[in-house]
PDB file of all heavy atoms in Angstrom:
ATOM      1  N   LYS G   1      13.425  14.010 -12.369  1.00 97.00           N
ATOM      2  CA  LYS G   1      14.823  14.422 -12.413  1.00 97.00           C
ATOM      3  C   LYS G   1      15.740  13.216 -12.244  1.00 97.00           C
ATOM      4  O   LYS G   1      16.756  13.068 -12.973  1.00 97.00           O
ATOM      5  CB  LYS G   1      15.109  15.455 -11.314  1.00 97.00           C
ATOM      6  CG  LYS G   1      16.543  15.940 -11.268  1.00 97.00           C
ATOM      7  CD  LYS G   1      16.782  16.860 -10.045  1.00 97.00           C
ATOM      8  CE  LYS G   1      16.882  16.075  -8.773  1.00 97.00           C
ATOM      9  NZ  LYS G   1      17.326  16.905  -7.606  1.00 97.00           N
ATOM     10  N   ASN G   2      15.433  12.336 -11.351  1.00 98.00           N
ATOM     11  CA  ASN G   2      16.261  11.170 -11.100  1.00 98.00           C
ATOM     12  C   ASN G   2      16.123  10.128 -12.216  1.00 98.00           C
ATOM     13  O   ASN G   2      17.090   9.418 -12.539  1.00 98.00           O
ATOM     14  CB  ASN G   2      15.948  10.579  -9.728  1.00 98.00           C
ATOM     15  CG  ASN G   2      16.546  11.393  -8.611  1.00 98.00           C
ATOM     16  OD1 ASN G   2      17.708  11.203  -8.267  1.00 98.00           O
ATOM     17  ND2 ASN G   2      15.777  12.315  -8.059  1.00 98.00           N
ATOM     18  N   LEU G   3      14.954  10.022 -12.810  1.00 98.00           N
ATOM     19  CA  LEU G   3      14.807   9.154 -13.979  1.00 98.00           C
ATOM     20  C   LEU G   3      15.650   9.669 -15.153  1.00 98.00           C
ATOM     21  O   LEU G   3      16.218   8.887 -15.908  1.00 98.00           O
ATOM     22  CB  LEU G   3      13.324   9.062 -14.374  1.00 98.00           C
ATOM     23  CG  LEU G   3      12.438   8.254 -13.458  1.00 98.00           C
ATOM     24  CD1 LEU G   3      10.966   8.454 -13.803  1.00 98.00           C
ATOM     25  CD2 LEU G   3      12.798   6.775 -13.520  1.00 98.00           C
ATOM     26  N   ASP G   4      15.751  10.989 -15.279  1.00 98.00           N
ATOM     27  CA  ASP G   4      16.609  11.574 -16.308  1.00 98.00           C
ATOM     28  C   ASP G   4      18.078  11.218 -16.075  1.00 98.00           C
ATOM     29  O   ASP G   4      18.831  10.985 -17.009  1.00 98.00           O
ATOM     30  CB  ASP G   4      16.438  13.104 -16.341  1.00 98.00           C
ATOM     31  CG  ASP G   4      15.095  13.531 -16.928  1.00 98.00           C
ATOM     32  OD1 ASP G   4      14.449  12.707 -17.567  1.00 98.00           O
ATOM     33  OD2 ASP G   4      14.724  14.692 -16.720  1.00 98.00           O
ATOM     34  N   GLU G   5      18.497  11.193 -14.793  1.00 97.00           N
ATOM     35  CA  GLU G   5      19.855  10.802 -14.469  1.00 97.00           C
ATOM     36  C   GLU G   5      20.134   9.371 -14.870  1.00 97.00           C
ATOM     37  O   GLU G   5      21.212   9.035 -15.399  1.00 97.00           O
ATOM     38  CB  GLU G   5      20.143  10.985 -12.973  1.00 97.00           C
ATOM     39  CG  GLU G   5      20.204  12.448 -12.515  1.00 97.00           C
ATOM     40  CD  GLU G   5      21.295  13.218 -13.234  1.00 97.00           C
ATOM     41  OE1 GLU G   5      22.434  12.732 -13.318  1.00 97.00           O
ATOM     42  OE2 GLU G   5      20.980  14.334 -13.742  1.00 97.00           O
ATOM     43  N   ALA G   6      19.148   8.484 -14.645  1.00 98.00           N
ATOM     44  CA  ALA G   6      19.303   7.097 -15.068  1.00 98.00           C
ATOM     45  C   ALA G   6      19.350   6.991 -16.605  1.00 98.00           C
ATOM     46  O   ALA G   6      20.147   6.237 -17.177  1.00 98.00           O
ATOM     47  CB  ALA G   6      18.163   6.243 -14.533  1.00 98.00           C
ATOM     48  N   ALA G   7      18.536   7.815 -17.252  1.00 98.00           N
ATOM     49  CA  ALA G   7      18.470   7.770 -18.719  1.00 98.00           C
ATOM     50  C   ALA G   7      19.804   8.223 -19.344  1.00 98.00           C
ATOM     51  O   ALA G   7      20.175   7.756 -20.437  1.00 98.00           O
ATOM     52  CB  ALA G   7      17.334   8.670 -19.218  1.00 98.00           C
ATOM     53  N   LYS G   8      20.523   9.143 -18.701  1.00 97.00           N
ATOM     54  CA  LYS G   8      21.826   9.568 -19.205  1.00 97.00           C
ATOM     55  C   LYS G   8      22.810   8.400 -19.281  1.00 97.00           C
ATOM     56  O   LYS G   8      23.751   8.438 -20.095  1.00 97.00           O
ATOM     57  CB  LYS G   8      22.399  10.669 -18.306  1.00 97.00           C
ATOM     58  CG  LYS G   8      21.663  12.006 -18.408  1.00 97.00           C
ATOM     59  CD  LYS G   8      22.221  13.013 -17.397  1.00 97.00           C
ATOM     60  CE  LYS G   8      21.412  14.302 -17.403  1.00 97.00           C
ATOM     61  NZ  LYS G   8      21.891  15.248 -16.347  1.00 97.00           N
ATOM     62  N   LEU G   9      22.618   7.411 -18.440  1.00 97.00           N
ATOM     63  CA  LEU G   9      23.467   6.206 -18.465  1.00 97.00           C
ATOM     64  C   LEU G   9      22.835   5.107 -19.308  1.00 97.00           C
ATOM     65  O   LEU G   9      23.372   3.997 -19.374  1.00 97.00           O
ATOM     66  CB  LEU G   9      23.685   5.697 -17.047  1.00 97.00           C
ATOM     67  CG  LEU G   9      24.397   6.675 -16.075  1.00 97.00           C
ATOM     68  CD1 LEU G   9      24.460   6.061 -14.674  1.00 97.00           C
ATOM     69  CD2 LEU G   9      25.787   6.984 -16.579  1.00 97.00           C
ATOM     70  N   GLY G  10      21.718   5.426 -19.943  1.00 97.00           N
ATOM     71  CA  GLY G  10      21.046   4.456 -20.805  1.00 97.00           C
ATOM     72  C   GLY G  10      20.048   3.564 -20.106  1.00 97.00           C
ATOM     73  O   GLY G  10      19.538   2.603 -20.703  1.00 97.00           O
ATOM     74  N   TYR G  11      19.742   3.843 -18.830  1.00 98.00           N
ATOM     75  CA  TYR G  11      18.890   2.946 -18.054  1.00 98.00           C
ATOM     76  C   TYR G  11      17.452   3.443 -17.942  1.00 98.00           C
ATOM     77  O   TYR G  11      17.195   4.636 -17.856  1.00 98.00           O
ATOM     78  CB  TYR G  11      19.424   2.781 -16.641  1.00 98.00           C
ATOM     79  CG  TYR G  11      20.785   2.134 -16.532  1.00 98.00           C
ATOM     80  CD1 TYR G  11      21.838   2.761 -15.860  1.00 98.00           C
ATOM     81  CD2 TYR G  11      21.006   0.868 -17.104  1.00 98.00           C
ATOM     82  CE1 TYR G  11      23.077   2.150 -15.736  1.00 98.00           C
ATOM     83  CE2 TYR G  11      22.254   0.263 -16.984  1.00 98.00           C
ATOM     84  CZ  TYR G  11      23.284   0.907 -16.314  1.00 98.00           C
ATOM     85  OH  TYR G  11      24.508   0.298 -16.184  1.00 98.00           O
ATOM     86  N   THR G  12      16.535   2.482 -17.906  1.00 98.00           N
ATOM     87  CA  THR G  12      15.153   2.732 -17.514  1.00 98.00           C
ATOM     88  C   THR G  12      14.929   1.975 -16.208  1.00 98.00           C
ATOM     89  O   THR G  12      15.314   0.810 -16.066  1.00 98.00           O
ATOM     90  CB  THR G  12      14.164   2.180 -18.564  1.00 98.00           C
ATOM     91  OG1 THR G  12      14.389   2.857 -19.804  1.00 98.00           O
ATOM     92  CG2 THR G  12      12.726   2.368 -18.131  1.00 98.00           C
ATOM     93  N   PHE G  13      14.346   2.669 -15.212  1.00 98.00           N
ATOM     94  CA  PHE G  13      14.085   2.046 -13.917  1.00 98.00           C
ATOM     95  C   PHE G  13      12.646   1.584 -13.858  1.00 98.00           C
ATOM     96  O   PHE G  13      11.701   2.361 -14.009  1.00 98.00           O
ATOM     97  CB  PHE G  13      14.338   3.050 -12.786  1.00 98.00           C
ATOM     98  CG  PHE G  13      14.133   2.479 -11.406  1.00 98.00           C
ATOM     99  CD1 PHE G  13      14.918   1.443 -10.942  1.00 98.00           C
ATOM    100  CD2 PHE G  13      13.126   2.976 -10.575  1.00 98.00           C
ATOM    101  CE1 PHE G  13      14.720   0.916  -9.665  1.00 98.00           C
ATOM    102  CE2 PHE G  13      12.919   2.448  -9.310  1.00 98.00           C
ATOM    103  CZ  PHE G  13      13.722   1.421  -8.846  1.00 98.00           C
ATOM    104  N   ASN G  14      12.502   0.265 -13.709  1.00 97.00           N
ATOM    105  CA  ASN G  14      11.177  -0.330 -13.572  1.00 97.00           C
ATOM    106  C   ASN G  14      10.970  -0.828 -12.148  1.00 97.00           C
ATOM    107  O   ASN G  14      11.926  -1.262 -11.495  1.00 97.00           O
ATOM    108  CB  ASN G  14      11.038  -1.534 -14.518  1.00 97.00           C
ATOM    109  CG  ASN G  14      11.156  -1.125 -15.963  1.00 97.00           C
ATOM    110  OD1 ASN G  14      10.434  -0.236 -16.450  1.00 97.00           O
ATOM    111  ND2 ASN G  14      12.086  -1.735 -16.705  1.00 97.00           N
ATOM    112  N   CYS G  15       9.758  -0.715 -11.657  1.00 97.00           N
ATOM    113  CA  CYS G  15       9.499  -1.178 -10.306  1.00 97.00           C
ATOM    114  C   CYS G  15       8.082  -1.718 -10.184  1.00 97.00           C
ATOM    115  O   CYS G  15       7.228  -1.454 -11.017  1.00 97.00           O
ATOM    116  CB  CYS G  15       9.750  -0.064  -9.293  1.00 97.00           C
ATOM    117  SG  CYS G  15       8.785   1.409  -9.520  1.00 97.00           S
ATOM    118  N   GLY G  16       7.898  -2.514  -9.130  1.00 96.00           N
ATOM    119  CA  GLY G  16       6.605  -3.107  -8.876  1.00 96.00           C
ATOM    120  C   GLY G  16       6.368  -3.225  -7.382  1.00 96.00           C
ATOM    121  O   GLY G  16       6.964  -4.097  -6.739  1.00 96.00           O
ATOM    122  N   PRO G  17       5.561  -2.342  -6.797  1.00 96.00           N
ATOM    123  CA  PRO G  17       5.296  -2.422  -5.356  1.00 96.00           C
ATOM    124  C   PRO G  17       4.160  -3.395  -5.036  1.00 96.00           C
ATOM    125  O   PRO G  17       3.250  -3.606  -5.843  1.00 96.00           O
ATOM    126  CB  PRO G  17       4.896  -0.991  -5.008  1.00 96.00           C
ATOM    127  CG  PRO G  17       4.308  -0.456  -6.266  1.00 96.00           C
ATOM    128  CD  PRO G  17       4.963  -1.172  -7.407  1.00 96.00           C
ATOM    129  N   GLU G  18       4.210  -3.989  -3.864  1.00 94.00           N
ATOM    130  CA  GLU G  18       3.125  -4.844  -3.333  1.00 94.00           C
ATOM    131  C   GLU G  18       2.488  -4.085  -2.183  1.00 94.00           C
ATOM    132  O   GLU G  18       3.083  -3.943  -1.112  1.00 94.00           O
ATOM    133  CB  GLU G  18       3.678  -6.169  -2.838  1.00 94.00           C
ATOM    134  CG  GLU G  18       4.429  -6.980  -3.919  1.00 94.00           C
ATOM    135  CD  GLU G  18       5.111  -8.203  -3.310  1.00 94.00           C
ATOM    136  OE1 GLU G  18       5.023  -8.417  -2.088  1.00 94.00           O
ATOM    137  OE2 GLU G  18       5.748  -8.944  -4.096  1.00 94.00           O
ATOM    138  N   LEU G  19       1.289  -3.578  -2.387  1.00 93.00           N
ATOM    139  CA  LEU G  19       0.646  -2.770  -1.369  1.00 93.00           C
ATOM    140  C   LEU G  19      -0.286  -3.566  -0.481  1.00 93.00           C
ATOM    141  O   LEU G  19      -1.228  -4.210  -0.953  1.00 93.00           O
ATOM    142  CB  LEU G  19      -0.173  -1.630  -2.014  1.00 93.00           C
ATOM    143  CG  LEU G  19       0.649  -0.405  -2.403  1.00 93.00           C
ATOM    144  CD1 LEU G  19       1.194  -0.553  -3.816  1.00 93.00           C
ATOM    145  CD2 LEU G  19      -0.170   0.860  -2.300  1.00 93.00           C
ATOM    146  N   GLU G  20      -0.010  -3.544   0.794  1.00 94.00           N
ATOM    147  CA  GLU G  20      -0.892  -4.139   1.820  1.00 94.00           C
ATOM    148  C   GLU G  20      -1.691  -3.039   2.490  1.00 94.00           C
ATOM    149  O   GLU G  20      -1.259  -1.888   2.520  1.00 94.00           O
ATOM    150  CB  GLU G  20      -0.048  -4.898   2.858  1.00 94.00           C
ATOM    151  CG  GLU G  20       0.760  -6.041   2.273  1.00 94.00           C
ATOM    152  CD  GLU G  20       1.744  -6.648   3.240  1.00 94.00           C
ATOM    153  OE1 GLU G  20       1.958  -6.038   4.325  1.00 94.00           O
ATOM    154  OE2 GLU G  20       2.302  -7.721   2.949  1.00 94.00           O
ATOM    155  N   PHE G  21      -2.852  -3.415   3.013  1.00 95.00           N
ATOM    156  CA  PHE G  21      -3.673  -2.443   3.734  1.00 95.00           C
ATOM    157  C   PHE G  21      -4.626  -3.185   4.657  1.00 95.00           C
ATOM    158  O   PHE G  21      -4.925  -4.361   4.474  1.00 95.00           O
ATOM    159  CB  PHE G  21      -4.433  -1.518   2.772  1.00 95.00           C
ATOM    160  CG  PHE G  21      -5.353  -2.243   1.805  1.00 95.00           C
ATOM    161  CD1 PHE G  21      -6.722  -2.321   2.046  1.00 95.00           C
ATOM    162  CD2 PHE G  21      -4.849  -2.793   0.639  1.00 95.00           C
ATOM    163  CE1 PHE G  21      -7.563  -2.968   1.153  1.00 95.00           C
ATOM    164  CE2 PHE G  21      -5.681  -3.438  -0.258  1.00 95.00           C
ATOM    165  CZ  PHE G  21      -7.044  -3.534  -0.007  1.00 95.00           C
ATOM    166  N   PHE G  22      -5.097  -2.485   5.662  1.00 95.00           N
ATOM    167  CA  PHE G  22      -6.114  -3.007   6.578  1.00 95.00           C
ATOM    168  C   PHE G  22      -7.472  -2.398   6.235  1.00 95.00           C
ATOM    169  O   PHE G  22      -7.552  -1.253   5.767  1.00 95.00           O
ATOM    170  CB  PHE G  22      -5.791  -2.667   8.037  1.00 95.00           C
ATOM    171  CG  PHE G  22      -4.766  -3.545   8.664  1.00 95.00           C
ATOM    172  CD1 PHE G  22      -3.412  -3.267   8.596  1.00 95.00           C
ATOM    173  CD2 PHE G  22      -5.160  -4.702   9.350  1.00 95.00           C
ATOM    174  CE1 PHE G  22      -2.456  -4.070   9.182  1.00 95.00           C
ATOM    175  CE2 PHE G  22      -4.226  -5.523   9.936  1.00 95.00           C
ATOM    176  CZ  PHE G  22      -2.880  -5.225   9.858  1.00 95.00           C
ATOM    177  N   VAL G  23      -8.520  -3.192   6.475  1.00 94.00           N
ATOM    178  CA  VAL G  23      -9.891  -2.699   6.334  1.00 94.00           C
ATOM    179  C   VAL G  23     -10.557  -2.824   7.715  1.00 94.00           C
ATOM    180  O   VAL G  23     -10.631  -3.941   8.275  1.00 94.00           O
ATOM    181  CB  VAL G  23     -10.684  -3.489   5.278  1.00 94.00           C
ATOM    182  CG1 VAL G  23     -12.122  -2.960   5.194  1.00 94.00           C
ATOM    183  CG2 VAL G  23     -10.016  -3.393   3.909  1.00 94.00           C
ATOM    184  N   PHE G  24     -11.022  -1.704   8.241  1.00 95.00           N
ATOM    185  CA  PHE G  24     -11.609  -1.682   9.571  1.00 95.00           C
ATOM    186  C   PHE G  24     -13.074  -1.207   9.487  1.00 95.00           C
ATOM    187  O   PHE G  24     -13.484  -0.590   8.483  1.00 95.00           O
ATOM    188  CB  PHE G  24     -10.849  -0.749  10.498  1.00 95.00           C
ATOM    189  CG  PHE G  24      -9.461  -1.244  10.830  1.00 95.00           C
ATOM    190  CD1 PHE G  24      -8.362  -0.401  10.633  1.00 95.00           C
ATOM    191  CD2 PHE G  24      -9.247  -2.496  11.343  1.00 95.00           C
ATOM    192  CE1 PHE G  24      -7.085  -0.829  10.947  1.00 95.00           C
ATOM    193  CE2 PHE G  24      -7.981  -2.942  11.675  1.00 95.00           C
ATOM    194  CZ  PHE G  24      -6.882  -2.108  11.467  1.00 95.00           C
ATOM    195  N   LYS G  25     -13.801  -1.442  10.573  1.00 94.00           N
ATOM    196  CA  LYS G  25     -15.171  -0.931  10.693  1.00 94.00           C
ATOM    197  C   LYS G  25     -15.181   0.551  11.015  1.00 94.00           C
ATOM    198  O   LYS G  25     -14.196   1.059  11.526  1.00 94.00           O
ATOM    199  CB  LYS G  25     -15.934  -1.713  11.757  1.00 94.00           C
ATOM    200  CG  LYS G  25     -16.179  -3.154  11.428  1.00 94.00           C
ATOM    201  CD  LYS G  25     -16.951  -3.845  12.554  1.00 94.00           C
ATOM    202  CE  LYS G  25     -17.200  -5.321  12.220  1.00 94.00           C
ATOM    203  NZ  LYS G  25     -17.902  -6.015  13.311  1.00 94.00           N
ATOM    204  N   ARG G  26     -16.270   1.204  10.731  1.00 93.00           N
ATOM    205  CA  ARG G  26     -16.518   2.570  11.185  1.00 93.00           C
ATOM    206  C   ARG G  26     -17.546   2.531  12.316  1.00 93.00           C
ATOM    207  O   ARG G  26     -18.384   1.622  12.377  1.00 93.00           O
ATOM    208  CB  ARG G  26     -17.034   3.453  10.040  1.00 93.00           C
ATOM    209  CG  ARG G  26     -15.983   3.728   8.978  1.00 93.00           C
ATOM    210  CD  ARG G  26     -16.503   4.593   7.849  1.00 93.00           C
ATOM    211  NE  ARG G  26     -15.453   4.862   6.867  1.00 93.00           N
ATOM    212  CZ  ARG G  26     -14.617   5.864   6.931  1.00 93.00           C
ATOM    213  NH1 ARG G  26     -14.716   6.736   7.921  1.00 93.00           N
ATOM    214  NH2 ARG G  26     -13.693   6.037   6.012  1.00 93.00           N
ATOM    215  N   ASP G  27     -17.486   3.531  13.200  1.00 94.00           N
ATOM    216  CA  ASP G  27     -18.441   3.566  14.306  1.00 94.00           C
ATOM    217  C   ASP G  27     -19.756   4.183  13.868  1.00 94.00           C
ATOM    218  O   ASP G  27     -19.934   4.547  12.697  1.00 94.00           O
ATOM    219  CB  ASP G  27     -17.825   4.260  15.526  1.00 94.00           C
ATOM    220  CG  ASP G  27     -17.537   5.735  15.284  1.00 94.00           C
ATOM    221  OD1 ASP G  27     -18.103   6.340  14.353  1.00 94.00           O
ATOM    222  OD2 ASP G  27     -16.726   6.310  16.063  1.00 94.00           O
ATOM    223  N   ALA G  28     -20.681   4.361  14.796  1.00 92.00           N
ATOM    224  CA  ALA G  28     -22.018   4.892  14.499  1.00 92.00           C
ATOM    225  C   ALA G  28     -21.951   6.301  13.930  1.00 92.00           C
ATOM    226  O   ALA G  28     -22.880   6.747  13.234  1.00 92.00           O
ATOM    227  CB  ALA G  28     -22.891   4.849  15.738  1.00 92.00           C
ATOM    228  N   ASN G  29     -20.880   7.032  14.240  1.00 92.00           N
ATOM    229  CA  ASN G  29     -20.723   8.392  13.724  1.00 92.00           C
ATOM    230  C   ASN G  29     -19.911   8.468  12.432  1.00 92.00           C
ATOM    231  O   ASN G  29     -19.576   9.535  11.946  1.00 92.00           O
ATOM    232  CB  ASN G  29     -20.033   9.261  14.790  1.00 92.00           C
ATOM    233  CG  ASN G  29     -20.871   9.409  16.034  1.00 92.00           C
ATOM    234  OD1 ASN G  29     -22.078   9.611  15.962  1.00 92.00           O
ATOM    235  ND2 ASN G  29     -20.225   9.294  17.198  1.00 92.00           N
ATOM    236  N   GLY G  30     -19.587   7.281  11.916  1.00 90.00           N
ATOM    237  CA  GLY G  30     -18.837   7.228  10.663  1.00 90.00           C
ATOM    238  C   GLY G  30     -17.344   7.388  10.802  1.00 90.00           C
ATOM    239  O   GLY G  30     -16.625   7.506   9.806  1.00 90.00           O
ATOM    240  N   GLN G  31     -16.847   7.393  12.064  1.00 93.00           N
ATOM    241  CA  GLN G  31     -15.415   7.544  12.294  1.00 93.00           C
ATOM    242  C   GLN G  31     -14.725   6.202  12.226  1.00 93.00           C
ATOM    243  O   GLN G  31     -15.274   5.166  12.580  1.00 93.00           O
ATOM    244  CB  GLN G  31     -15.171   8.181  13.671  1.00 93.00           C
ATOM    245  CG  GLN G  31     -15.750   9.583  13.817  1.00 93.00           C
ATOM    246  CD  GLN G  31     -15.195  10.563  12.799  1.00 93.00           C
ATOM    247  OE1 GLN G  31     -13.979  10.711  12.678  1.00 93.00           O
ATOM    248  NE2 GLN G  31     -16.078  11.200  12.064  1.00 93.00           N
ATOM    249  N   ALA G  32     -13.459   6.228  11.742  1.00 93.00           N
ATOM    250  CA  ALA G  32     -12.695   4.985  11.608  1.00 93.00           C
ATOM    251  C   ALA G  32     -12.371   4.421  12.970  1.00 93.00           C
ATOM    252  O   ALA G  32     -12.106   5.142  13.946  1.00 93.00           O
ATOM    253  CB  ALA G  32     -11.408   5.299  10.845  1.00 93.00           C
ATOM    254  N   THR G  33     -12.407   3.090  13.070  1.00 93.00           N
ATOM    255  CA  THR G  33     -11.983   2.375  14.270  1.00 93.00           C
ATOM    256  C   THR G  33     -10.854   1.413  13.904  1.00 93.00           C
ATOM    257  O   THR G  33     -10.432   1.374  12.740  1.00 93.00           O
ATOM    258  CB  THR G  33     -13.163   1.546  14.854  1.00 93.00           C
ATOM    259  OG1 THR G  33     -13.404   0.430  13.991  1.00 93.00           O
ATOM    260  CG2 THR G  33     -14.421   2.384  14.958  1.00 93.00           C
ATOM    261  N   THR G  34     -10.392   0.657  14.869  1.00 93.00           N
ATOM    262  CA  THR G  34      -9.450  -0.435  14.557  1.00 93.00           C
ATOM    263  C   THR G  34     -10.137  -1.784  14.825  1.00 93.00           C
ATOM    264  O   THR G  34      -9.490  -2.786  15.121  1.00 93.00           O
ATOM    265  CB  THR G  34      -8.179  -0.333  15.415  1.00 93.00           C
ATOM    266  OG1 THR G  34      -8.537  -0.230  16.812  1.00 93.00           O
ATOM    267  CG2 THR G  34      -7.345   0.870  15.019  1.00 93.00           C
ATOM    268  N   GLU G  35     -11.459  -1.798  14.661  1.00 93.00           N
ATOM    269  CA  GLU G  35     -12.227  -3.056  14.832  1.00 93.00           C
ATOM    270  C   GLU G  35     -12.197  -3.825  13.518  1.00 93.00           C
ATOM    271  O   GLU G  35     -12.516  -3.306  12.445  1.00 93.00           O
ATOM    272  CB  GLU G  35     -13.672  -2.725  15.226  1.00 93.00           C
ATOM    273  CG  GLU G  35     -14.473  -3.947  15.577  1.00 93.00           C
ATOM    274  CD  GLU G  35     -15.897  -3.611  16.012  1.00 93.00           C
ATOM    275  OE1 GLU G  35     -16.168  -2.407  16.248  1.00 93.00           O
ATOM    276  OE2 GLU G  35     -16.729  -4.535  16.092  1.00 93.00           O
ATOM    277  N   PHE G  36     -11.802  -5.091  13.591  1.00 92.00           N
ATOM    278  CA  PHE G  36     -11.632  -5.914  12.392  1.00 92.00           C
ATOM    279  C   PHE G  36     -12.956  -6.088  11.667  1.00 92.00           C
ATOM    280  O   PHE G  36     -14.015  -6.267  12.261  1.00 92.00           O
ATOM    281  CB  PHE G  36     -11.081  -7.287  12.746  1.00 92.00           C
ATOM    282  CG  PHE G  36      -9.679  -7.261  13.332  1.00 92.00           C
ATOM    283  CD1 PHE G  36      -9.386  -7.971  14.476  1.00 92.00           C
ATOM    284  CD2 PHE G  36      -8.684  -6.528  12.722  1.00 92.00           C
ATOM    285  CE1 PHE G  36      -8.118  -7.965  15.033  1.00 92.00           C
ATOM    286  CE2 PHE G  36      -7.388  -6.518  13.257  1.00 92.00           C
ATOM    287  CZ  PHE G  36      -7.118  -7.218  14.402  1.00 92.00           C
ATOM    288  N   VAL G  37     -12.880  -6.122  10.341  1.00 88.00           N
ATOM    289  CA  VAL G  37     -14.005  -6.487   9.504  1.00 88.00           C
ATOM    290  C   VAL G  37     -14.092  -7.983   9.355  1.00 88.00           C
ATOM    291  O   VAL G  37     -15.175  -8.562   9.199  1.00 88.00           O
ATOM    292  CB  VAL G  37     -13.885  -5.801   8.106  1.00 88.00           C
ATOM    293  CG1 VAL G  37     -14.939  -6.319   7.155  1.00 88.00           C
ATOM    294  CG2 VAL G  37     -14.012  -4.300   8.248  1.00 88.00           C
ATOM    295  N   ASP G  38     -12.945  -8.656   9.382  1.00 82.00           N
ATOM    296  CA  ASP G  38     -12.917 -10.124   9.228  1.00 82.00           C
ATOM    297  C   ASP G  38     -11.790 -10.686  10.101  1.00 82.00           C
ATOM    298  O   ASP G  38     -10.954  -9.946  10.611  1.00 82.00           O
ATOM    299  CB  ASP G  38     -12.702 -10.503   7.768  1.00 82.00           C
ATOM    300  CG  ASP G  38     -11.321 -10.103   7.254  1.00 82.00           C
ATOM    301  OD1 ASP G  38     -10.347 -10.796   7.595  1.00 82.00           O
ATOM    302  OD2 ASP G  38     -11.221  -9.110   6.497  1.00 82.00           O
ATOM    303  N   HIS G  39     -11.801 -11.985  10.221  1.00 76.00           N
ATOM    304  CA  HIS G  39     -10.760 -12.684  10.985  1.00 76.00           C
ATOM    305  C   HIS G  39     -10.107 -13.723  10.103  1.00 76.00           C
ATOM    306  O   HIS G  39      -9.765 -14.825  10.548  1.00 76.00           O
ATOM    307  CB  HIS G  39     -11.349 -13.310  12.252  1.00 76.00           C
ATOM    308  CG  HIS G  39     -11.845 -12.287  13.218  1.00 76.00           C
ATOM    309  ND1 HIS G  39     -11.005 -11.588  14.064  1.00 76.00           N
ATOM    310  CD2 HIS G  39     -13.091 -11.816  13.456  1.00 76.00           C
ATOM    311  CE1 HIS G  39     -11.698 -10.748  14.806  1.00 76.00           C
ATOM    312  NE2 HIS G  39     -12.962 -10.860  14.445  1.00 76.00           N
ATOM    313  N   GLY G  40      -9.917 -13.396   8.862  1.00 64.00           N
ATOM    314  CA  GLY G  40      -9.263 -14.299   7.919  1.00 64.00           C
ATOM    315  C   GLY G  40      -7.767 -14.322   8.110  1.00 64.00           C
ATOM    316  O   GLY G  40      -7.186 -13.493   8.770  1.00 64.00           O
ATOM    317  N   GLY G  41      -7.140 -15.316   7.467  1.00 56.00           N
ATOM    318  CA  GLY G  41      -5.697 -15.440   7.463  1.00 56.00           C
ATOM    319  C   GLY G  41      -5.163 -15.446   6.049  1.00 56.00           C
ATOM    320  O   GLY G  41      -5.893 -15.164   5.094  1.00 56.00           O
ATOM    321  N   TYR G  42      -3.915 -15.779   5.914  1.00 56.00           N
ATOM    322  CA  TYR G  42      -3.214 -15.693   4.615  1.00 56.00           C
ATOM    323  C   TYR G  42      -3.942 -16.536   3.566  1.00 56.00           C
ATOM    324  O   TYR G  42      -4.156 -17.738   3.729  1.00 56.00           O
ATOM    325  CB  TYR G  42      -1.792 -16.194   4.808  1.00 56.00           C
ATOM    326  CG  TYR G  42      -0.812 -15.699   3.767  1.00 56.00           C
ATOM    327  CD1 TYR G  42      -0.844 -14.381   3.304  1.00 56.00           C
ATOM    328  CD2 TYR G  42       0.182 -16.513   3.248  1.00 56.00           C
ATOM    329  CE1 TYR G  42       0.053 -13.901   2.381  1.00 56.00           C
ATOM    330  CE2 TYR G  42       1.110 -16.068   2.315  1.00 56.00           C
ATOM    331  CZ  TYR G  42       1.018 -14.740   1.885  1.00 56.00           C
ATOM    332  OH  TYR G  42       1.930 -14.266   0.961  1.00 56.00           O
ATOM    333  N   PHE G  43      -4.366 -15.877   2.479  1.00 51.00           N
ATOM    334  CA  PHE G  43      -5.052 -16.489   1.348  1.00 51.00           C
ATOM    335  C   PHE G  43      -6.425 -17.068   1.671  1.00 51.00           C
ATOM    336  O   PHE G  43      -6.965 -17.858   0.903  1.00 51.00           O
ATOM    337  CB  PHE G  43      -4.183 -17.596   0.681  1.00 51.00           C
ATOM    338  CG  PHE G  43      -2.961 -17.076  -0.002  1.00 51.00           C
ATOM    339  CD1 PHE G  43      -1.693 -17.409   0.446  1.00 51.00           C
ATOM    340  CD2 PHE G  43      -3.051 -16.245  -1.109  1.00 51.00           C
ATOM    341  CE1 PHE G  43      -0.560 -16.929  -0.180  1.00 51.00           C
ATOM    342  CE2 PHE G  43      -1.925 -15.753  -1.747  1.00 51.00           C
ATOM    343  CZ  PHE G  43      -0.686 -16.091  -1.277  1.00 51.00           C
TER     344      PHE G  43
END
């Protein structure tokens, strides 16, 4: 609906998200933990 509103004015809305996420270990029962998989830094 909102893209249609932009189109009425002649516009196309383009976007590009940067998705970050954490990867953690699972415990012996397969449940998620907050234990790090790695200790790396930027790049």
